Amino acid sequence: MDDSPLQVLSVPTAPYPDQRPGTSGLRKKVYVFQSNRDYLQNFVQSVLSSIDLRDRQGSTIVVGGDGRYFNRVAIEVIVQMAAANGVGRLLIGQNGIMSTPAVSCMIRKMKAIGGIILTASHNPGGPNGDFGIKFNISNGGPAPEAITDKIFQLSRTIEEYAICPDLRVDLATLGKQTFDLENKFRPFTVEIVDPVESYANMLRNIFDFAALKEMLSGHNHIKIRLDAMHGVMGPYLRRILCEELGCPANSLINCVPLEDFGGQHPDPNLTYAAELVQSMQSGQYDFGAAFDGDGDRNMILGKHGFFVNPSDSVAVIAANIFCIPYFQHTGVRGFARSMPTSAALDNVAKATKIQLYETPTGWKFFGKLMDAGKLSLCGEESFGTGSDHIREKDGLWAVLAWLSILATRQQSVEEIMTEHWQTYGRNFFTRFDYEEVDILAAVEMMEDLEIMMSDKAFTGQIFSEGEKMYKVERADNFEYSDPVDGSISKHQGLRILFSDGSRIIFRLSGTGSSGATIRLYVDSYENDAGKIFQDPQVMLAPLVNLALKMSMLQERTGRSAPTVIT
């Protein structure tokens, strides 16, 4: 066996113009990474170069992914390049698997300089699917814009990358592996870690596991159904829900991580989690939940498939926050939601006199508020909920939060939601997603909408739709002034606010890998007890029709219906 130090090479390369990270890192079709020479290497080098050399030398970086196709290939490249760039140690989830919340937890616990997460979240996988790579900073959260901008600039001027091409790592065996590199004084260490244990330990310190175990496996236990959608969450659910909290193994479905997620979108909504929805509608389960590919998103269902809108979910957790022992100890510093999320959380914040923040879409905005001690609980309408225990949204945390509320209140999901609406009123909310729309048509539509909205005559205008009248109170392109550092984030979504509190919002999403996704959000408040149980699609139909007419969305895109309705 050759014990000589491994060679470190500098390889010439040429930049690509399209490596700007979005809100969740760089996402592209798998073939983009496979067919473009050094495409992955260029981006990894740009990420590593964004870390100051003095900070990088001897540092620790956490690496994990959702197990999708190209995950292992990418990890091998990252290991070889981290070694060549002076990183001292990598902590990698066994077999390259680690959920996004667990990566955030591990970064914080091990005081790592950051983490590299290989995921395209809820986007499809497999050779014809999507792949993504995202950099999280030392607080455990997604890199802020200043850093993603720096990564992009480095990717546009890159001339060479450093790599140790002969370095090979065994991802299957737990424990440390050390490597001697030429011109390096210290060996490079790779530690393969149990992806679940640190994260499970953290959850044990947040929730009352004894009370949860009694509810899930005691004498009068409830029956639950959890769908991992063949993403990363399977091992976490088996270990925590089954082995620790006593749920029977048949409570879990689709819990084997697959490179192509079984050919499905690992997206926890009513469209893509149809198998779970169908099994819940049978009435044999009291509680159901689905998770996305990397485990940071969740969907909550009650008996007979009763759907909890994500905007309502965070509001219910806020209203029942002291059912979670963690908050009994820490207190509550503030609530926050992304701008498109309904104002259901605002109603709880107002009643409890707790500060509420409205941020752009992107978890990094919440992370900054948490680091400043201003925020305890937050959520996004896109099935993301979390707290200040880590700096990512956390699907399993949200499910355990709901189960804690059920255990404390001894009520069903539907009873809890019904009482909530009776107490605070109901924010009817829907989101229409038009996926993979022609990007030029989408941009033109948004530009024309903004021109129409910026006309002074638009504010105060009255629109009639059926029997409903809507008066425009305000229209803008949402701009966020960060209360921590005063930084300004512009162009975060077109908002039309009406005098009755209703809202229409248009956004172009940056998390897809091809074409554009237009998202239309409609939100309307109702506190009339006779109306709060109506179907949201019926209640919101006039506003939806008004939004489609204003934007001419169907004519512009050629789409007669959205891809997904939430």
Side-chain angles (χ1 to χ4, degrees), residues 62-339:
V62 180
V63 180
D66 60 14
R68 68 179 55 234
Y69 184 82
F70 202 62
N71 198 53
R72 284 174 173 270
V73 175
I75 287 177
E76 185 168 281
V77 169
I78 289 164
V79 170
Q80 293 170 348
M81 293 185 66
N85 279 275
V87 174
R89 177 172 67 152
L90 292 184
L91 300 172
I92 306 178
Q94 188 175 26
N95 297 313
I97 296 272
M98 195 183 293
S99 75
T100 292
V103 171
S104 184
C105 167
M106 184 73 75
I107 292 169
R108 293 171 68 79
K109 180 187 175 187
M110 304 307 293
K111 296 184 167 47
I113 198 165
I116 296 175
I117 307 176
L118 305 167
T119 179
S121 188
H122 53 295
N123 292 8
N128 299 313
D130 296 352
F131 186 75
I133 178 167
K134 168 172 123 160
F135 180 58
N136 279 26
I137 58 173
S138 59
N139 75 347
E145 283 174 22
I147 292 175
T148 54
D149 285 348
K150 186 177 179 183
I151 291 169
F152 178 53
Q153 293 307 322
L154 288 164
S155 78
R156 293 177 65 187
T157 55
I158 189 170
E159 295 178 350
E160 62 180 17
Y161 62 84
I163 193 165
C164 189
D166 299 325
L167 198 160
R168 296 286 180 271
V169 168
D170 172 9
L171 292 176
T173 306
L174 292 172
K176 289 183 181 178
Q177 302 164 45
T178 57
F179 305 88
D180 288 318
L181 313 182
E182 65 179 15
N183 303 324
K184 305 286 181 186
F185 297 112
R186 293 192 188 129
F188 171 68
T189 303
V190 173
E191 190 171 344
I192 306 301
V193 298
D194 180 331
V196 180
E197 191 49 42
S198 290
Y199 175 74
N201 259 333
M202 176 187 67
L203 294 179
R204 288 183 198 108
N205 291 320
I206 293 173
F207 299 102
D208 183 345
F209 269 33
L212 292 174
K213 186 169 185 176
E214 177 62 29
M215 183 179 71
L216 295 171
S217 57
H219 182 59
N220 291 315
H221 68 272
I222 65 169
K223 289 185 73 177
I224 70 171
R225 189 79 156 167
L226 303 178
D227 186 352
M229 303 190 82
H230 289 302
V232 78
M233 287 308 293
Y236 294 83
L237 299 180
R238 279 195 296 272
R239 183 91 64 88
I240 296 167
L241 269 299
C242 294
E243 293 175 23
E244 187 135 358
L245 297 177
C247 287
N250 63 5
S251 303
L252 312 181
I253 57 172
N254 302 320
C255 274
V256 177
L258 297 176
E259 288 192 333
D260 67 347
F261 307 111
Q264 303 300 313
H265 271 63
D267 194 352
N269 60 39
L270 296 170
T271 301
Y272 295 125
E275 183 183 352
L276 174 71
V277 173
Q278 204 172 350
S279 64
M280 290 300 297
Q281 285 170 343
S282 70
Q284 60 180 308
Y285 301 102
D286 302 295
F287 178 90
F291 305 88
D292 70 339
D294 64 325
D296 61 352
R297 296 174 196 241
N298 73 96
M299 176 176 70
I300 304 294
L301 298 173
K303 199 165 191 169
H304 304 295
F306 181 87
F307 173 63
V308 178
N309 189 289
S311 298
D312 282 336
S313 180
V314 67
V316 168
I317 296 171
N320 297 276
I321 198 159
F322 295 115
C323 294
I324 302 167
Y326 174 84
F327 294 109
Q328 296 169 17
H329 300 303
T330 65
V332 182
R333 299 180 180 94
F335 297 141
R337 62 169 174 83
S338 64
M339 180 272 287

